[in-house]
Amino acid sequence: MAAVAAPVARSAHRSRLLSAYVWLLATLAVVFAGTHLGQVREAATTKPAFWLMTALALLAASRAFVTSGTRGTAVVICPTLCFTFAILLCWGLGPAIVVQLAAIVVVALRLRHTFGQAALVAGQYALSFAATYAILVLGDPEPFADSGPVATLRDAASVVAAILAWLAVYCGLVVVAARLRWGAAGWRRATGSLGFLALYKAALLMLSPVVAVTAHVNAAFVVLTFVPLYAVERMARLSADRDQATRLDPVTGLANRAGLQARFEDLAATHPRMALLLLDLDRFKHVNDTLGHEVGDRLLVAVGERLGRVVPDADVLARLGGDEFAVITTKLEDLSAACALASRVASTLAEPIRLDDTQVDITASVGIAVYPQDGPDFATLMRHADVAMYDAKQRGDTTAFYRPDADPNSPHRLGLLTDLRQALQVRERAELNLHYQPQVALDTGQVTGVEALLRWQHPTRGAVSPQELLHAAEPTGVMQMITARVIDDVTAQVARWRTAGLTLRASLNISARDLQSLDVVAQLSARLAEHDIPASQIQLEITESALMADPARALSTINQLSALGVPVALDDFGTGYSSLQNLRKLPFAEIKIDQSFVAGMAHNSDDAAIVRSTVELARALGLRTVAEGVETEYTWRMLADIGCSAAQGWFCARPMPATEVPAWLAQHAARLRLPARTQDERTTSSHR
């Protein structure tokens, strides 16, 4: 809360300073106008051209519009300055300020500006005119009174100096206001549009001496200046339209990525906390492929309209391309407000959308990243919201907040991935090794297998947990490098055990990437031949989530492994999304019951019922069952009573280096009064 309170306090302080600044400028504007009322009376009563230029100035003000500067900041396009500066050159400071104030009122009414905005602009113009008038008084107070070459050069120099003074003072006042309003970011925001603004103002100011001279020669010709001004206005409008097109999505009419970024930068300067919601429509590609891109575009429009209704208070709503939408909201009392908004978005989109006679069912996954704690800038916040969105998809949730530990591209994880790749490539470093944990038959007590667990002892970080290792490697090609390393090490170890007189069967876990490639089949076949190991002594484990990533390719790979003679086990059963049909059509030899169910058997009747049903199902299908995470004798006995095939866990044995396995087997055989070499050892290898 302290981190949020400090920016709020600074924002309130800047707001008070800005208010004082506005009142100061407005007061000076009134003072300058009041002290030169004599000039106003003289011009109004004796100069018909004054009224003509006043009318033209107000007419120009009535056509004012807003465009964007180079960084998306709002810029008012209004050619009134051309006439008011000409009035200053012809009749003095008072008339120029009075007419400019009247024009500012017209613009404020047209564009619905607040009193504070109008007062700020009035003060900026008044001080700029005052600086200009001071230059003229010092140089040539009546630039059009004399004639001749010398007078002409003097007049021109005086007017140019006055124009430069106006631009310098005006730009300085704009920067000060920006700094007071947005703090340290004010300079960057001001300069984002200052170049465009200065160029536009300079063009109007350079045209104003022509208007002034025309007014002295023949006031009727002043009207003709509207032609070039109209051309300038049209070019500005076309530029504004092109700029708007670059910031809008052509399909939905919502902001696009550029528009979202510009709005984010505006809000970040005035709001200490915001939430970015990034959402992705599920199965949108299926709609495009089935119903066509025209229907897909109509669906996107409908989604945009629905989002507009469900988040009416959002500061900006955008479509980023494809089926991705984004919402920025500053309505954040706490994180639960962002979560509630994301839940409303997801539940609203879950309702079917009817397009003509077709009902389309869609869902969405929403990732949430909070500014500034999840990212100090737009690019970082977008990337973290994207990470959160895919985290929600992988976990099967509709919404998720950004979590650094779920970010595959965090600096910590990238560094870990680099070190892991080097450890895999340089075996001499001996950082990676396999430990083996026995699996024991529940009916006889004989060892039926050992599971090989990958361990990483980092040279500076110490032991890296299996979960952290997998999170770093799974989204990348390093996962396949791990699989290749484990295949090499396990098959070589099984061969060494065979040479020592121990007939051991090993199995290893392969990832979704391995299932989508036939490299694992070719490599395993080569290693079996190299070490002269029967295929039945190597068993592979796959998880349900890996199986469902691409079922067709997974089926092809599993069938080829089965044809090779390698048995396949289904790991972590019950935690994924596969159907029972997979147990019927895929050549599995074993089901491993996840430890989350096994650990809860002793005190949770639902977990016990799930384990019992799984064992009965496997028995009916002729499959072995292995319960993972057995840590108590009570759990062991419950598993034995329901007919589970084997158990694995600390109650049986802890993981151990390969060199310790023969001694442990001998001790275990002695306890059973069985010869160590007569046991049918089955080794299960996984790399977590």
Side-chain angles (χ1 to χ4, degrees):
M1 294 297 294
V4 175
V8 171
R10 288 194 296 268
S11 178
H13 179 63
R14 291 198 305 268
S15 179
R16 290 192 295 270
L17 289 177
L18 179 61
S19 178
Y21 177 70
V22 170
W23 279 108
L24 174 63
L25 293 186
T27 301
L28 290 175
V30 173
V31 170
F32 289 144
T35 55
H36 293 79
L37 286 179
Q39 294 176 341
V40 177
R41 285 194 296 270
E42 181 181 357
T45 56
T46 64
K47 308 295 182 182
F50 167 75
W51 289 107
L52 176 60
M53 283 202 282
T54 298
L56 292 175
L58 297 179
L59 178 61
S62 68
R63 296 182 55 81
F65 65 96
V66 178
T67 185
S68 297
T70 56
R71 291 183 182 173
T73 50
V75 175
V76 176
I77 298 298
C78 177
T80 297
L81 179 60
C82 177
F83 298 104
T84 54
F85 194 84
I87 290 174
L88 183 144
L89 294 176
C90 292
W91 302 297
L93 178 62
I97 292 180
V98 169
V99 175
Q100 187 65 58
L101 290 178
I104 289 172
V105 171
V106 173
V107 172
L109 293 174
R110 172 176 171 77
L111 302 181
R112 298 183 180 180
H113 287 169
T114 65
F115 173 79
Q117 289 174 308
L120 175 61
V121 174
Q124 290 170 339
Y125 272 83
L127 261 67
S128 302
F129 280 138
T132 298
Y133 189 66
I135 296 295
L136 290 175
V137 169
L138 293 175
D140 189 358
E142 297 183 11
F144 307 112
D146 301 327
S147 60
V150 175
T152 301
L153 290 175
R154 187 182 65 244
D155 294 345
S158 180
V159 170
V160 169
I163 290 173
L164 294 177
W166 194 98
L167 289 172
V169 173
Y170 179 79
C171 291
L173 294 173
V174 168
V175 170
V176 171
R179 182 61 187 260
L180 291 176
R181 181 180 180 185
W182 295 302
W187 170 253
R188 179 178 59 83
R189 292 179 56 81
T191 55
S193 60
L194 203 57
F196 171 82
L197 190 63
L199 182 62
Y200 176 69
K201 299 293 186 185
L204 296 176
L205 291 170
M206 295 301 290
L207 184 60
S208 60
V210 178
V211 176
V213 171
T214 304
H216 276 76
V217 175
N218 189 334
F221 287 109
V222 173
V223 180
L224 298 179
T225 59
F226 239 81
V227 176
L229 286 177
Y230 177 77
V232 171
E233 180 197 22
R234 290 303 303 164
M235 287 188 290
R237 284 186 181 274
L238 290 174
S239 176
D241 291 342
R242 285 195 299 268
D243 181 75
Q244 185 179 39
T246 64
R247 298 175 185 275
L248 291 180
D249 172 52
V251 176
T252 62
L254 302 175
N256 59 12
R257 184 179 294 269
L260 182 71
Q261 181 173 358
R263 188 64 177 132
F264 169 83
E265 292 174 354
D266 285 343
L267 294 171
T270 55
H271 292 79
R273 206 178 191 198
M274 296 183 291
L276 172 63
L277 278 61
L278 188 65
L279 58 117
D280 176 85
L281 304 181
D282 302 321
R283 301 183 301 277
F284 177 73
K285 184 178 183 300
H286 177 71
V287 173
N288 264 347
D289 294 343
T290 304
L291 303 177
H293 288 274
E294 182 180 352
V295 175
D297 288 347
R298 293 175 58 198
L299 176 61
L300 292 174
V301 172
V303 168
E305 293 173 349
R306 186 171 287 188
L307 286 174
R309 291 193 297 269
V310 76
V311 285
D313 296 329
D315 292 282
V316 62
L317 175 61
R319 178 193 171 221
L320 305 180
D323 56 355
E324 284 190 345
F325 291 80
V327 177
I328 290 179
T329 178
T330 59
K331 310 301 186 294
L332 273 186
E333 293 79 9
D334 49 39
L335 294 182
S336 62
C339 186
L341 176 59
S343 298
R344 289 201 306 273
V345 168
S347 60
T348 300
L349 292 181
E351 299 175 6
I353 295 178
R354 179 167 293 279
L355 301 173
D356 296 333
D357 297 329
T358 304
Q359 180 172 292
V360 180
D361 293 295
I362 60 170
T363 55
S365 301
V366 185
I368 309 169
V370 179
Y371 169 84
Q373 64 194 52
D374 292 334
D377 53 57
F378 178 77
T380 304
L381 203 67
M382 277 290 297
R383 185 174 65 81
H384 289 173
D386 191 63
V387 169
M389 181 184 69
Y390 280 101
D391 184 33
K393 282 183 178 292
Q394 291 176 356
R395 293 192 286 112
D397 294 336
T398 55
T399 63
F401 279 97
Y402 170 72
R403 296 182 298 116
D405 60 343
D407 189 352
N409 300 313
S410 65
H412 170 76
R413 188 164 294 179
L414 287 176
L416 198 67
L417 191 63
T418 299
D419 294 342
L420 177 58
R421 186 186 297 272
Q422 293 175 352
L424 288 166
Q425 292 172 341
V426 185
R427 287 179 175 267
E428 291 76 11
R429 294 173 60 172
E431 298 175 21
L432 296 168
N433 56 81
L434 293 173
H435 282 208
Y436 295 85
Q437 186 174 35
Q439 297 172 339
V440 180
L442 285 158
D443 55 351
T444 64
Q446 295 182 357
V447 175
T448 62
V450 291
E451 179 179 9
L453 304 172
L454 189 65
R455 297 291 184 256
W456 183 16
Q457 188 68 27
H458 194 279
T460 59
R461 303 182 186 185
V464 179
S465 69
Q467 291 79 12
E468 188 174 11
L469 189 154
L470 275 183
H471 285 162
E474 272 187 327
T476 71
V478 174
M479 194 67 206
Q480 290 171 294
M481 295 175 62
I482 293 178
T483 300
R485 172 72 172 269
V486 172
I487 289 176
D488 291 347
D489 289 357
V490 170
T491 51
Q493 183 59 57
V494 169
R496 286 192 291 270
W497 279 331
R498 282 172 59 85
T499 302
L502 295 176
T503 304
L504 302 174
R505 183 172 67 186
S507 82
L508 52 96
N509 193 308
I510 59 177
S511 67
R513 286 176 174 268
D514 298 313
L515 281 176
Q516 296 171 17
S517 170
L518 296 179
D519 292 346
V520 66
V521 179
Q523 184 188 5
L524 187 56
S525 177
R527 294 297 174 268
L528 291 174
E530 176 186 350
H531 296 292
D532 193 22
I533 300 173
S536 59
Q537 288 190 251
I538 299 294
Q539 178 174 280
L540 300 184
E541 295 182 8
I542 63 173
T543 62
E544 290 184 288
S545 57
L547 177 65
M548 296 308 296
D550 191 338
R553 298 179 71 174
L555 176 61
S556 174
T557 302
I558 292 173
N559 285 335
Q560 293 193 50
L561 289 169
S562 181
L564 188 64
V566 176
V568 180
L570 183 60
D571 196 13
D572 298 338
F573 183 78
T575 62
Y577 301 96
S578 65
S579 66
L580 296 179
Q581 185 179 12
N582 292 320
L583 295 179
R584 178 176 61 84
K585 69 180 182 180
L586 293 175
F588 291 121
E590 180 178 285
I591 292 177
K592 300 194 72 176
I593 306 173
D594 188 73
Q595 60 182 351
S596 61
F597 300 115
V598 175
M601 287 182 64
H603 52 78
N604 189 305
S605 59
D606 291 338
D607 286 342
I610 290 173
V611 174
R612 183 183 302 107
S613 299
T614 302
V615 170
E616 292 173 354
L617 174 64
R619 185 187 302 118
L621 295 173
L623 305 177
R624 298 187 303 272
T625 50
V626 176
E628 298 181 291
V630 179
E631 298 185 358
T632 65
E633 182 179 358
Y634 185 73
T635 303
W636 169 282
R637 295 186 181 280
M638 290 183 68
L639 290 167
D641 290 342
I642 63 177
C644 185
S645 304
Q648 174 186 341
W650 282 20
F651 178 74
C652 307
R654 294 192 177 192
M656 64 192 76
T659 55
E660 298 178 10
V661 170
W664 184 90
L665 289 174
Q667 293 174 2
H668 184 73
R671 286 194 296 269
L672 295 178
R673 292 186 176 84
L674 291 173
R677 296 187 181 182
T678 63
Q679 299 185 53
D680 178 19
E681 318 289 4
R682 299 179 182 180
T683 311
T684 305
S685 162
S686 81
H687 38 281
R688 304 180 200 169

